[in-house]
Amino acid sequence: MAMTPPKFKVDPTAAMKRLQQSANAAATDRFALASQVMQTQPTGLTVSPPAIDEPKHATSSTFDISRCVPGSIVSVPLHLIDLNELGPRQIYQSTEIDKIAATITEAQDDAAHGYVKDGRVKLIDGGTRVRAAKVSGVDHLDVKFEVEPESTLALYLRARSYNDQRSQPTAIDHAISLRKLIESGAVPNNRVIAEKIPDPNGRPMSESQVSMYMRISRMPDRVLQRMSETPSTAAFTILYAVSELFEKIPDRGQAEDTALSIIDDIRQKDLSKQQVIGLVRSKLEGTKHRERSSQQSLTIGSYEGVVKIFAKRGHLELSMKNLPPDQLPELQRALITRVEDFFKEQQAKSTSSALETEKEDSSQTL
């Protein structure tokens, strides 16, 4: 026999009253909790700060320079980072930057190295990574912090040790670094460089080698950049050969144009070291015999031109443009006539002067 389920008597008014009391209590608890959070966390952020050795994407609200202690790895906003201008890498190739930029948005494989100075982060190494971050739109860089190097030279050598773990500095990078070390006062002269700094292969340098690197470093940045783009023009012997142009040609603009022309020849013709040396010498010999002209502008009405004089060669050039084509034959005849008259007058003066001299000699004899 089926049992009849019990009947419950529901009081709707009492149920609604209990529900309202429960809701009010919950709301009170939430507001109390919020008030407590605002007292301890004015920003409303309840997440604990990350550990020093766990870098996270840095923003202006989360980055704290006091966390950048030696041994820590911290994600630093790019606008607070200063590059190391005296590092072993001086010329950055776009291909290397783009390669890192392609992956840095996902993860930074290796932290850069740096230290805190005057409230900012000074890098020891990591210049390529900074440039890659900017290209890719990343606004931070993971930096491992260490004690500030005791001198500018120590900073360079520390950066050099990190760079050598990845690759050797190029001859161009090495030359520019040495020049900057001298200019900054980090080293007083070539002798100290030879004593303190190894060559790109890690071997000791002689003072004569240092002098050769310094001569390379004095070439214009535009020339060094072009030569750095291919192995055939970035070799030490080729760099030194081309640098002679800037030692022997007084006009720096002419020397630069000549150097760029030689660089193009090296690339296109795959010239050997001896061929490059021969090409440089031929350019220098041609320059020695090339006389610079004195020039005078010529303006006659609406017509303009220039007169060039090469005194040593006894050479004169007259150049005018935009002359009326139908008047050119008549102008040519007038110029020839005037030139002939000029030399007839000069010849007559010369003859007259010779006769006067002969007459004076005769009277003195008598």
Side-chain angles (χ1 to χ4, degrees):
M1 180 177 177
M3 296 181 62
T4 302
K7 296 181 179 180
F8 295 93
K9 186 177 180 180
V10 178
D11 185 348
T13 301
M16 287 298 296
K17 186 177 181 180
R18 289 193 298 271
L19 179 61
Q20 185 65 41
Q21 290 174 344
S22 176
N24 289 340
T28 300
D29 291 342
R30 288 196 297 272
F31 283 117
L33 178 60
S35 177
Q36 182 182 2
V37 169
M38 291 304 293
Q39 291 177 5
T40 58
Q41 301 282 347
T43 62
L45 300 175
T46 59
V47 180
S48 300
I52 288 179
D53 58 351
E54 295 178 1
K56 296 184 181 297
H57 292 187
T59 66
S60 57
S61 62
T62 62
F63 178 73
D64 184 357
I65 195 73
S66 66
R67 297 175 58 225
C68 303
V69 297
S72 66
I73 299 178
V74 182
S75 186
V76 183
L78 291 183
H79 70 274
L80 293 177
I81 294 177
D82 296 325
L83 295 173
N84 178 9
E85 300 298 335
L86 294 176
R89 178 67 64 87
Q90 293 291 328
I91 294 182
Y92 294 85
Q93 301 295 343
S94 59
T95 53
E96 297 177 357
I97 295 173
D98 292 341
K99 182 179 179 180
I100 296 178
T103 59
I104 201 171
T105 54
E106 300 297 329
Q108 184 179 327
D109 294 336
D110 298 310
H113 294 81
Y115 56 94
V116 176
K117 186 176 182 64
D118 299 328
R120 295 180 60 81
V121 175
K122 177 80 172 183
L123 287 189
I124 297 174
D125 82 320
T128 305
R129 278 160 283 184
V130 168
R131 289 166 172 81
K134 291 180 178 179
V135 167
S136 62
V138 175
D139 62 357
H140 62 278
L141 192 74
D142 293 345
V143 180
K144 184 173 183 179
F145 286 86
E146 54 189 77
V147 176
E148 179 180 352
E150 60 184 11
S151 67
T152 305
L153 178 58
L155 171 61
Y156 168 78
L157 293 174
R158 187 64 174 153
R160 174 76 181 271
S161 69
Y162 287 128
N163 185 82
D164 288 351
Q165 294 173 16
R166 298 185 298 271
S167 62
Q168 295 176 348
T170 67
I172 296 175
D173 286 329
H174 192 60
I176 297 175
S177 292
L178 298 186
R179 186 195 73 207
K180 287 188 174 182
L181 287 169
I182 287 282
E183 292 174 347
S184 68
V187 289
N189 50 49
N190 291 358
R191 179 181 58 79
V192 176
I193 288 180
E195 293 173 354
K196 303 286 188 181
I197 300 174
D199 72 3
N201 295 311
R203 296 189 294 260
M205 290 191 295
S206 65
E207 287 190 52
S208 62
Q209 283 179 295
V210 175
S211 297
M212 295 170 76
Y213 276 110
M214 295 301 291
R215 193 175 94 171
I216 291 171
S217 74
R218 290 192 290 269
M219 287 195 288
D221 291 342
R222 181 185 176 197
V223 172
L224 290 172
Q225 180 67 48
R226 285 282 296 275
M227 298 191 77
S228 73
E229 294 171 357
T230 57
S232 60
T233 54
F236 175 79
T237 52
I238 303 301
L239 289 163
Y240 187 71
V242 174
S243 70
E244 186 176 4
L245 296 169
F246 297 91
E247 300 293 313
K248 302 291 181 62
I249 300 178
D251 187 329
R252 197 162 177 83
Q254 183 182 352
E256 184 170 338
D257 291 340
T258 304
L260 294 173
S261 173
I262 290 176
I263 293 169
D264 289 338
D265 284 342
I266 296 171
R267 290 178 174 181
Q268 295 169 7
K269 303 175 183 178
D270 193 23
L271 301 181
S272 66
K273 179 184 74 172
Q274 293 303 323
Q275 288 174 319
V276 172
I277 292 174
L279 181 57
V280 169
R281 287 176 179 171
S282 69
K283 296 289 186 181
L284 289 174
E285 290 172 359
T287 303
K288 290 178 182 178
H289 295 97
R290 187 181 303 165
E291 180 187 358
R292 298 180 65 182
S293 65
S294 61
Q295 301 184 15
Q296 181 177 346
S297 298
L298 180 66
T299 302
I300 304 175
S302 60
Y303 305 120
E304 296 182 351
V306 62
V307 178
K308 296 182 180 180
I309 297 176
F310 300 85
K312 292 181 180 180
R313 289 186 281 164
H315 185 79
L316 181 146
E317 292 181 1
L318 168 63
S319 174
M320 298 190 72
K321 296 181 179 180
N322 302 319
L323 297 172
D326 58 331
Q327 295 181 14
L328 289 178
E330 185 177 353
L331 177 59
Q332 182 183 33
R333 288 192 294 270
L335 285 172
I336 293 173
T337 299
R338 185 65 189 94
V339 171
E340 289 176 344
D341 289 344
F342 173 81
F343 282 109
K344 287 178 181 178
E345 292 173 3
Q346 295 299 313
Q347 186 175 8
K349 290 179 181 179
S350 178
T351 302
S352 175
S353 177
L355 291 173
E356 290 293 334
T357 302
E358 184 178 349
K359 185 183 295 185
E360 291 177 1
D361 291 342
S362 298
S363 62
Q364 290 176 359
T365 303
L366 295 173

